[in-house]
Amino acid sequence: MDAGVAAKPSLSRKPSPSFRLRNGSLNALRLRRVFDLFDRNGDGEITLDEMASALDALGLGADRAGLEATVGGYIPAGAAGLRFGDFEALHRALGDALFGPIEEDEPGKQGEDDDEGDMKEAFRVFDEDGDGFISAAELQAVLKKLGLPEARNLATVQEMICNVDRDCDGRVDFGEFKCMMQGITVWGA
């Protein structure tokens, strides 16, 4: 398979628009985190087995043959799996296949509305009950879905909440979330 063309994925449900954020920095950060989560042994490559295991853990079980057909063309000859650059190329190709290519903005024209929309989209991932706040239980549930060890201890999750909870109500509202996200630096993005 040509690495420039992704096999059209067959999906039983419509993919989330959050698959690809318009904000390049948020997208690069999220993609790096996903890559690191999928790379279970930390060797800098995601094998097909690691990808299948990660998708299964997220409840997105993938057919091994379909996964190999879609991902195989992005694994360089002689490599055991996808390196981060290959993973980015796969993500970009799948995004283009599912949603169409991203229209490139002129430099400096990325609107604050797009950034705000992306931020709200990211917030909704954590605000599972839609009440406008991220509770420790909601954060713990998302961390657990991602397979992060911090999810095992509620006290650790509550400490994470306290680190960004400026009004000390035990929850993170959108303004606090936005402040936290704007303070994240993405190296190399």
Side-chain angles (χ1 to χ4, degrees):
M1 167 184 266
D2 176 15
V5 178
K8 182 77 172 173
S10 59
L11 301 171
S12 58
R13 59 183 174 204
K14 187 174 183 205
S16 165
S18 67
F19 178 82
R20 178 172 61 193
L21 299 174
R22 290 176 297 271
N23 179 304
S25 293
L26 285 178
N27 206 29
L29 174 65
R30 184 188 60 184
L31 212 50
R32 183 77 227 187
R33 286 182 178 165
V34 169
F35 181 87
D36 291 342
L37 286 170
F38 282 25
D39 180 19
R40 288 288 186 188
N41 64 1
D43 67 353
E45 292 184 342
I46 301 172
T47 64
L48 287 173
D49 287 338
E50 287 173 320
M51 184 168 287
S53 294
L55 293 172
D56 286 343
L58 292 169
L60 304 171
D63 166 56
R64 179 65 187 223
L67 188 61
E68 195 165 337
T70 302
V71 176
Y74 291 87
I75 298 174
L82 297 168
R83 296 179 193 122
F84 183 67
D86 309 321
F87 188 66
E88 281 183 306
L90 172 64
H91 183 263
R92 189 171 30 262
L94 288 173
D96 290 351
L98 293 168
F99 304 107
I102 294 176
E103 294 179 23
E104 296 295 325
D105 290 333
E106 293 178 35
K109 287 227 174 188
Q110 174 90 28
E112 287 183 26
D113 289 344
D114 285 351
D115 290 346
E116 184 84 5
D118 286 342
M119 203 74 70
K120 285 180 181 173
E121 211 171 286
F123 181 80
R124 282 192 296 270
V125 169
F126 292 92
D127 180 18
E128 293 186 324
D129 65 7
D131 68 353
F133 298 95
I134 302 169
S135 67
E138 288 171 317
L139 178 57
Q140 186 177 34
V142 172
L143 295 176
K144 191 176 286 185
K145 286 178 190 173
L146 295 173
L148 295 175
E150 292 88 343
R152 293 187 204 124
N153 185 334
L154 184 58
T156 301
V157 175
Q158 288 169 329
E159 185 178 324
M160 293 168 78
I161 293 281
C162 286
N163 286 334
V164 295
D165 181 18
R166 293 180 304 187
D167 62 7
C168 300
D169 65 355
R171 321 176 284 182
V172 176
D173 62 34
F174 179 68
E176 293 164 335
F177 179 81
K178 187 174 167 182
C179 258
M180 177 204 61
M181 292 300 286
Q182 290 172 334
I184 293 174
T185 302
V186 180
W187 303 108

